[in-house]
Amino acid sequence: MAQLPPGIRFITSFSRDQWYRAFIFTLTFFLYASFHLSRKPISIVKGELHKHCAASHEVELSSYREYAAQIQSVKKLSNASQCGWEPFDKNNYKQLLGALDYSFLCAYAIGMYLSGIIGERLPIRYYLTVGMLASGLFTAMFGLGYFCNIHNLWFYIMAQIANGLVQTTGWPSVVTCIGNWFGKGRRGLIMGIWNSHTSVGNILGSLIAAYWVSTCWGLSFVMPGVIIAVMGIVCFLFLIEHPKDISCSCTPSSSSKAFLNGASRFRVQMPTLNAKETCKSQDSEMQHLLIDSENSMTSQNSSTVGTGEGRHGTSAISFLGALRIPGVIEFSLCLLFAKLVSYTFLFWLPLYITNVEHLDAKRAGDLSTLFDVGGIFGGILAGLISDRLEKRASTCGMMLLLAAPTLYMFSTVSKMGLEATVVMLLISGALVNGPYALITTAVSADLGTHKSLKGNARALSTVTAIIDGTGSVGAALGPLLAGLISPSGWNNVFYMLMVADGCALLFLLHLIQKELRCNADHTLFKEH
């Protein structure tokens, strides 16, 4: 018998279940990357919506309004004035651009809380497909303002609000799906790699938007809109919500090795019961809080996880019940400030580079992708460290502690030249996005898939929506504050970001203390 080709041997070395998990991992990766791809164009196009134009005395017209009116009389699909695209060509352009960011992010923050409630009552595949198609429509709608020569501020604000609402369908859906398919073993590393879809989407969105920004900025929105709509169709055709939907085996259980709730992790096979008393108090508290929710389920028994009927028949944990899970509030408030920093960079970094390095919009957009490259490594590093140390909160705290002085260095060193800016973009991206990535993925999945929930994916959707919804409040505030503060100097924006990092660390101190105390008790009794 002839020997099998190497490629076939490689394929057959993996089981059917492993191939399905790899497929879902890849599919959800690109599905959510398309969400971030469609959010990025606004930050790239800002430099084109407002340009540094000639001084008023160089324009030989009685007033700027007369000049704008004269330009408007010439019907063409290019920018309406030498200072940019009306109404963003005025001196208050930073406030107007900040209003666009705030409109999207405020709608996103409000919609995220509703998304968890709605999403837990609908099939993930349908819910996510509709959201992606609608996101494509409203992303392209912003770009149509260019082709239709629209200069009404409210048109662009309404497009941002609508897009912010429909994009909330993405995160709870993909996290719930990936949580269904992967157990807790090495979750930090797996989700750290998976969460790089955020940075990959930002990079692709920047490159696509930058390609057309100087010639036809409308396409910088239309093309990402088309891409996310196409990915929505792919989602409808291929997304599998749960392994049991195709009779795959259950995800590997880690209950026999370790328990992880996002705030602390401990071994359950320790022979000495007293050595774990401090850590177990948190576990017993969580189980007690979840008992009421379980008792309200109509037919719940020990085989709930083992049957498809049990999975679909369970009711979701209540909103208040999810808030009472130890660690949810602390991580949610931490994410509020961590996401404030991350989204300020997401929406304002290209404009900052344009002002400091005096580059055009395209080159600034390309350079800003280095921040997301650093974010990829930061997310993976955070997941790897948290798995190794078995401490989620301490890992986040360590990176937040390093991020604050790094931001100060960035504001100083970036003025010394392009090479220094490149290095600081990579370092800042890793330290800023590391905690953000860890909390929104591994921590959310840990808290939403506690063993007392008996595999209830609806609980995971609710917990994820609470954590990311709270973080999105910070994401809305960051760009708004940057727009208000930046006229007084970019240094003040960086001071604001450093304070936000300090606040994020402050909310984790209680959990970090618990983790360290648990580790000290474990070490002490192990020695005895």
Side-chain angles (χ1 to χ4, degrees):
M1 181 181 294
Q3 187 179 16
L4 287 175
I8 299 300
R9 290 205 306 271
F10 174 79
I11 292 174
T12 56
S13 66
F14 297 96
S15 67
R16 172 178 177 269
D17 293 357
Q18 288 174 325
W19 278 115
Y20 268 114
R21 287 194 178 92
F23 173 73
I24 294 299
F25 182 95
T26 305
L27 178 61
T28 53
F29 180 96
F30 285 106
L31 289 179
Y32 203 73
S34 67
F35 274 94
H36 268 266
L37 181 149
S38 66
R39 297 175 195 173
K40 190 63 178 178
I42 184 65
S43 66
I44 304 299
V45 174
K46 281 178 180 178
E48 192 70 17
L49 293 178
H50 182 89
K51 298 179 178 179
H52 294 289
C53 55
S56 58
H57 66 272
E58 295 178 311
V59 180
E60 297 180 359
L61 294 171
S62 59
S63 68
Y64 180 76
R65 287 182 177 274
E66 183 181 345
Y67 171 65
Q70 178 176 327
I71 294 296
Q72 280 282 62
S73 64
V74 181
K75 197 72 173 178
K76 60 181 181 178
L77 291 178
S78 60
N79 288 343
S81 77
Q82 291 179 353
C83 294
W85 185 268
E86 189 182 355
F88 307 105
D89 52 356
K90 308 297 191 299
N91 290 332
N92 65 336
Y93 72 97
K94 288 183 178 179
Q95 287 79 4
L96 297 182
L97 294 175
L100 290 182
D101 297 338
Y102 185 73
S103 300
F104 174 89
L105 294 168
C106 188
Y108 186 87
I110 295 173
M112 184 58 71
Y113 290 107
L114 300 175
S115 179
I117 298 173
I118 298 172
E120 67 190 18
R121 290 165 171 80
L122 297 173
I124 289 178
R125 181 165 62 94
Y126 297 147
Y127 186 56
L128 187 56
T129 297
V130 172
M132 296 183 77
L133 292 175
S135 296
L137 172 65
F138 292 119
T139 300
M141 177 180 166
F142 195 104
L144 292 178
Y146 173 86
F147 296 104
C148 298
N149 209 29
I150 298 175
H151 299 279
N152 189 315
L153 177 64
W154 282 103
F155 170 83
Y156 299 103
I157 288 180
M158 293 307 298
Q160 288 287 84
I161 291 176
N163 199 16
L165 289 174
V166 297
Q167 290 230 348
T168 60
T169 59
W171 190 241
S173 300
V174 294
V175 171
T176 298
C177 188
I178 204 75
N180 290 340
W181 278 88
F182 291 89
K184 292 182 179 180
R186 303 182 68 184
R187 175 174 277 168
L189 176 60
I190 291 173
M191 286 199 158
I193 297 172
W194 178 74
N195 192 65
S196 62
H197 55 50
T198 298
S199 298
V200 170
N202 289 340
I203 292 170
L204 293 176
S206 297
L207 296 176
I208 292 172
Y211 183 81
W212 281 289
V213 65
S214 299
T215 56
C216 180
W217 64 258
L219 288 176
S220 296
F221 289 92
V222 173
M223 293 308 297
V226 171
I227 291 173
I228 190 174
V230 170
M231 291 303 297
I233 298 174
V234 172
C235 171
F236 178 79
L237 294 176
F238 296 105
L239 184 66
I240 305 169
E241 176 182 345
H242 200 281
K244 294 183 179 58
D245 294 338
I246 54 169
S247 301
C248 274
S249 63
C250 296
T251 55
S253 174
S254 61
S255 59
S256 62
K257 295 181 180 180
F259 168 69
L260 175 63
N261 70 1
S264 65
R265 180 170 178 157
F266 58 89
R267 299 291 176 185
V268 300
Q269 294 176 323
M270 287 293 295
T272 307
L273 187 61
N274 291 335
K276 305 175 295 179
E277 237 168 39
T278 304
C279 303
K280 276 195 172 180
S281 63
Q282 194 167 356
D283 181 28
S284 60
E285 180 186 358
M286 181 185 293
Q287 292 187 14
H288 175 72
L289 293 174
L290 296 172
I291 281 287
D292 294 337
S293 177
E294 292 180 32
N295 287 340
S296 66
M297 299 176 185
T298 54
S299 59
Q300 183 77 26
N301 53 48
S302 59
S303 62
T304 298
V305 182
T307 63
E309 292 84 9
R311 179 174 64 86
H312 293 290
T314 55
S315 60
I317 189 173
S318 68
F319 186 86
L320 292 179
L323 283 177
R324 293 164 62 193
I325 296 175
V328 168
I329 292 179
E330 291 92 336
F331 277 115
S332 296
L333 293 175
C334 173
L335 184 62
L336 187 151
F337 290 99
K339 210 166 181 179
L340 182 153
V341 178
S342 181
Y343 268 66
T344 300
F345 274 96
L346 175 67
F347 283 88
W348 285 94
L349 182 58
L351 186 62
Y352 170 78
I353 294 174
T354 298
N355 291 346
V356 174
E357 299 292 342
H358 305 292
L359 302 177
D360 59 29
K362 184 181 186 307
R363 292 186 64 193
D366 292 341
L367 188 61
S368 68
T369 61
L370 293 175
F371 182 83
D372 295 298
V373 173
I376 294 175
F377 292 105
I380 296 174
L381 184 63
L384 186 62
I385 293 174
S386 68
D387 280 345
R388 180 64 63 87
L389 299 179
E390 301 181 345
K391 294 177 177 62
R392 304 289 197 216
S394 298
T395 302
C396 291
M398 178 176 59
M399 299 188 81
L400 289 169
L401 187 63
L402 295 173
T406 302
L407 291 175
Y408 177 78
M409 291 175 60
F410 181 88
S411 65
T412 305
V413 174
S414 61
K415 300 173 184 177
M416 299 180 180
L418 191 61
E419 295 78 7
T421 301
V422 168
V423 174
M424 293 310 301
L425 279 172
L426 292 170
I427 298 174
S428 299
L431 294 175
V432 167
N433 285 337
Y436 162 40
L438 187 62
I439 294 173
T440 54
T441 54
V443 170
S444 296
D446 291 345
L447 296 173
T449 57
H450 181 259
K451 59 183 180 181
S452 295
L453 294 171
K454 299 186 182 296
N456 185 0
R458 295 180 176 183
L460 174 56
S461 178
T462 302
V463 171
T464 301
I466 290 173
I467 292 177
D468 199 51
T470 305
S472 297
V473 174
L477 290 174
L480 175 67
L481 292 174
L484 297 175
I485 296 173
S486 57
S488 64
W490 286 106
N491 281 341
N492 294 330
V493 175
F494 281 96
Y495 294 146
M496 180 265 290
L497 297 180
M498 285 185 279
V499 171
D501 259 329
C503 292
L505 177 59
L506 186 64
F507 283 110
L508 284 185
L509 290 180
H510 178 63
L511 296 180
I512 293 173
Q513 183 182 15
K514 281 188 174 182
E515 287 183 348
L516 296 178
R517 185 169 63 242
C518 177
N519 185 67
D521 291 344
H522 176 82
T523 303
L524 178 63
F525 280 91
K526 186 176 181 180
E527 291 176 353
H528 287 289

